[in-house]
Amino acid sequence: MLSQEDVNFIENSLSYEEKVSVIFLLYGHRNPQYALQILTVAGRAPETEETNFLIDWMSHVHRSESWEDELLEALTIMEQNLLLLRAGFDDEELRSKYFPRTAEIAFHVHSILKGLYHFCERLTDESAQKLVNQLQLSIGGNCALPKNECMEVVLLELICNGSIQLGLKQSGVECNLLMLTAACKAAELYDESELLKSIMSHYNRNVAHPSQEQSDATAKNTPKVDDVSNGVAPSERTSRKVQLACSPLESYTFDPTRAGIVLLINQFSFYRETNPELVELVPARPLKERKGTEVDKNALERLFTDLGYDLIVEENITHHQILQAVQHAVQRTQPIHCSLVVCLLSHGQEGKVFGSNSIPVEVRAIQQLMANERLTGKPKLLIVQACQGADLQSAVPIPIYEHDGLDGSEKTASVFMDFLVAWSTVPGFASIRHIEKGSWFIQELCAKLRLLYRSEHIMDILTAVINDVASKRGYGNECMVPIVQSTLSKRLYFHRQA
């Protein structure tokens, strides 16, 4: 537990700009007017003078069980890693708990405030001033926005005057960032405008509307006046309602008691095929053992078992056996099952993975096997931990990192309905795997799924995975970015929907 002494130490280790950010994140939805008053006092005080607004905030929310988590999450979002270390916290553990770089998702801090903080961080002094001028034009002369101030102060003013509405999920109140989004467009800040749209969309689609649900239930069996007067038959009205219900927000059926099949193919060791008909497909250099893949395999096994799946595990199988294993998994998937998942852990080229005999298999061929009529309408997930090329984003040797691939040229893409293909890296680049801790991609995927599956659907979870993997760095500043191709037509949650 954080003590009052700890909180006081944290507060007085922050610069004025950092205090602005933490006040914004903690007070922005509670009392933005009071936050502005605090900042006015803090701004006038000398940099060396101690403040106590966090102590006051701590006393104000102390009865809340999550106050400590909220403060720690706010500091993690602000990337106060050194300060958190000095306060006795493991900053890596906090980052894995809160994944601060994902702007759309927060656990204790109001998620719109987190998103707006990220928005502020992207602005240069020049673009911020340009935006403030545009906002001033939008709201008119009745309310003067502060100039030469941190952008969070400007946003607090907009929250106070109602130009920004943060929303409240529990009460079914949506957020509204439309004025800010429009001002960004007018100021030619198009990327920032898209970020705001993403934040607003993610928040609002998870807002409950109890009054609307009650209204819909009341109106369910009540004929519309227009329908009666126009002679629309009850069956036609029912059909119309069914069509309206089939919206993009619909979810796939998922029941943990019949989740489906997971095929996990784990390639650890490789030999060179000697069949004269295949030998020309063998790469020039021998494929190394994939040290660390056992860690990935174990993490995936635990995760999907906990989600309710039946596992089929194959290890060190040839290119032909890979295709046979996929075909077998498809046949094992029964009409009662909700989905099929195939995980491939191997060396790879662009669009291909290797069998244990060093012969490549096109991922497209695996997708074609999964696109079986018996799986029509069911989500089919293909997770590939393999390289799509040999290039690293830094030429510096990696002491305890390896990569899973060779050169390649052929590109593939999913063209089937209800498919999701998640590659550990974008085409042309190597996929980084720690020889003791496992691959960056699989470890983040398992961690985020375990953390978020009760509240988020797969595409939002993968967004968080991409964000966190892309922020990692190897010892030589190597980095990688996963890529997702999806033709999913509904949301996929790994729990039963109410």
Side-chain angles (χ1 to χ4, degrees), residues 274-435:
T274 56
N275 184 333
E277 296 180 3
L278 299 173
V279 71
E280 64 180 20
L281 299 175
V282 175
R285 290 179 296 175
L287 299 176
K288 296 179 180 180
E289 288 189 346
R290 297 183 59 255
K291 297 177 181 179
T293 191
E294 192 73 13
V295 181
D296 289 343
K297 172 202 158 191
N298 293 339
L300 288 166
E301 281 185 329
R302 289 193 298 270
L303 172 70
F304 283 109
T305 299
D306 290 346
L307 293 176
Y309 282 90
D310 296 327
L311 258 66
I312 303 172
V313 180
E314 300 283 357
E315 295 191 278
N316 299 328
I317 58 178
T318 67
H319 73 292
H320 183 62
Q321 290 170 330
I322 289 175
L323 296 174
Q324 287 181 325
V326 173
Q327 201 164 22
H328 175 61
V330 169
Q331 295 302 317
R332 279 274 305 270
T333 306
Q334 300 301 315
I336 194 173
H337 286 144
C338 298
S339 57
L340 170 66
V341 181
V342 175
C343 303
L344 303 173
L345 313 179
S346 186
H347 286 300
Q349 290 175 314
E350 196 165 328
K352 301 174 184 178
V353 293
F354 280 96
S356 61
N357 57 344
S358 302
I359 302 296
V361 178
E362 290 191 10
V363 172
R364 181 173 56 191
I366 293 169
Q367 288 178 253
Q368 287 171 341
L369 291 174
M370 294 172 69
N372 190 290
E373 285 185 11
R374 68 191 292 121
L375 298 177
T376 301
K378 298 180 188 294
K380 297 165 279 289
L381 275 61
L382 181 55
I383 298 167
V384 186
Q385 167 56 44
C387 284
Q388 293 213 66
D391 291 339
L392 290 171
Q393 293 187 27
S394 171
V396 179
I398 311 174
I400 59 169
Y401 290 99
E402 296 180 349
H403 58 88
D404 289 330
L406 301 167
D407 291 324
S409 59
E410 186 174 347
K411 296 182 179 179
T412 64
S414 174
V415 294
F416 305 101
M417 194 66 171
D418 302 306
F419 254 103
L420 185 147
V421 183
W423 281 87
S424 56
T425 187
V426 295
F429 286 92
S431 181
I432 297 172
R433 169 175 36 83
H434 193 289
I435 65 174

Side-chain angles (χ1 to χ4, degrees), residues 57-328:
W57 174 83
M58 175 184 168
S59 302
H60 177 67
V61 299
H62 199 75
R63 280 178 281 182
S64 167
E65 293 181 1
S66 64
W67 74 268
E68 183 177 5
D69 283 317
E70 188 175 356
L71 177 56
L72 290 175
E73 183 173 16
L75 294 169
T76 307
I77 290 167
M78 293 165 56
E79 301 283 358
Q80 289 293 319
N81 304 334
L82 183 58
L83 176 57
L84 289 165
L85 283 170
R86 289 169 61 196
F89 292 93
D90 184 331
D91 66 316
E92 186 173 343
E93 183 180 335
L94 290 176
R95 285 198 303 272
S96 67
K97 182 177 181 181
Y98 300 123
F99 44 105
R101 296 182 180 92
T102 306
E104 294 87 350
I105 301 172
F107 296 95
H108 304 283
V109 170
H110 194 293
S111 56
I112 296 299
L113 291 174
K114 178 182 179 181
L116 290 174
Y117 170 80
H118 277 275
F119 166 77
C120 294
E121 289 295 292
R122 291 169 63 138
L123 297 174
T124 63
D125 291 343
E126 182 182 355
S127 61
Q129 195 54 57
K130 191 176 178 182
L131 178 59
V132 171
N133 293 338
Q134 186 60 48
L135 287 166
Q136 189 65 70
L137 290 173
S138 301
I139 63 176
N142 294 331
C143 178
L145 295 176
K147 294 187 177 182
N148 304 316
E149 260 287 7
C150 298
M151 194 64 200
E152 288 97 329
V153 176
V154 176
L155 296 184
L156 284 170
E157 289 281 4
L158 294 175
I159 294 169
C160 288
N161 69 30
S163 298
I164 289 177
Q165 296 169 25
L166 297 176
L168 187 62
K169 286 183 180 179
Q170 299 90 325
S171 302
V173 180
E174 294 187 345
C175 74
N176 187 339
L177 306 177
L178 292 175
M179 195 200 78
L180 186 57
T181 303
C184 283
K185 275 189 176 180
E188 299 180 342
L189 301 173
Y190 300 114
D191 289 344
E192 286 72 20
S193 176
E194 289 302 314
L195 172 65
L196 292 171
K197 283 182 184 178
S198 172
I199 293 164
M200 184 168 60
S201 173
H202 185 275
Y203 185 90
N204 287 345
R205 70 172 175 247
N206 291 301
V207 171
H209 297 285
S211 58
Q212 182 64 43
E213 290 171 6
Q214 185 177 2
S215 173
D216 290 345
T218 304
K220 185 176 181 181
N221 297 312
T222 305
K224 291 185 178 180
V225 173
D226 288 346
D227 286 346
V228 174
S229 62
N230 291 326
V232 178
S235 60
E236 292 177 289
R237 291 197 301 272
T238 303
S239 175
R240 187 179 300 171
K241 288 176 183 176
V242 169
Q243 290 172 6
L244 291 172
C246 295
S247 70
L249 301 181
E250 193 177 349
S251 300
Y252 290 103
T253 299
F254 190 88
D255 184 339
T257 63
R258 50 187 181 89
I261 303 295
V262 169
L263 170 63
L264 174 51
I265 297 176
N266 180 40
Q267 306 286 64
F268 171 71
S269 60
F270 300 82
Y271 65 94
R272 297 174 69 77
E273 178 64 64
T274 56
N275 184 333
E277 296 180 3
L278 299 173
V279 71
E280 64 180 20
L281 299 175
V282 175
R285 290 179 296 175
L287 299 176
K288 296 179 180 180
E289 288 189 346
R290 297 183 59 255
K291 297 177 181 179
T293 191
E294 192 73 13
V295 181
D296 289 343
K297 172 202 158 191
N298 293 339
L300 288 166
E301 281 185 329
R302 289 193 298 270
L303 172 70
F304 283 109
T305 299
D306 290 346
L307 293 176
Y309 282 90
D310 296 327
L311 258 66
I312 303 172
V313 180
E314 300 283 357
E315 295 191 278
N316 299 328
I317 58 178
T318 67
H319 73 292
H320 183 62
Q321 290 170 330
I322 289 175
L323 296 174
Q324 287 181 325
V326 173
Q327 201 164 22
H328 175 61

Side-chain angles (χ1 to χ4, degrees), residues 11 16 19-20 22-24 26-28 30-45 51-58 60 149 153 156:
E11 176 171 351
Y16 170 72
K19 288 178 181 179
V20 170
V22 77
I23 288 171
F24 177 75
L26 297 178
Y27 275 104
R30 288 187 170 92
N31 193 336
Q33 193 67 56
Y34 182 57
L36 287 171
Q37 293 174 14
I38 295 172
L39 291 174
T40 301
V41 173
R44 290 172 181 167
T51 57
N52 57 6
F53 65 83
L54 274 185
I55 298 295
D56 293 341
W57 174 83
M58 175 184 168
H60 177 67
E149 260 287 7
V153 176
L156 284 170

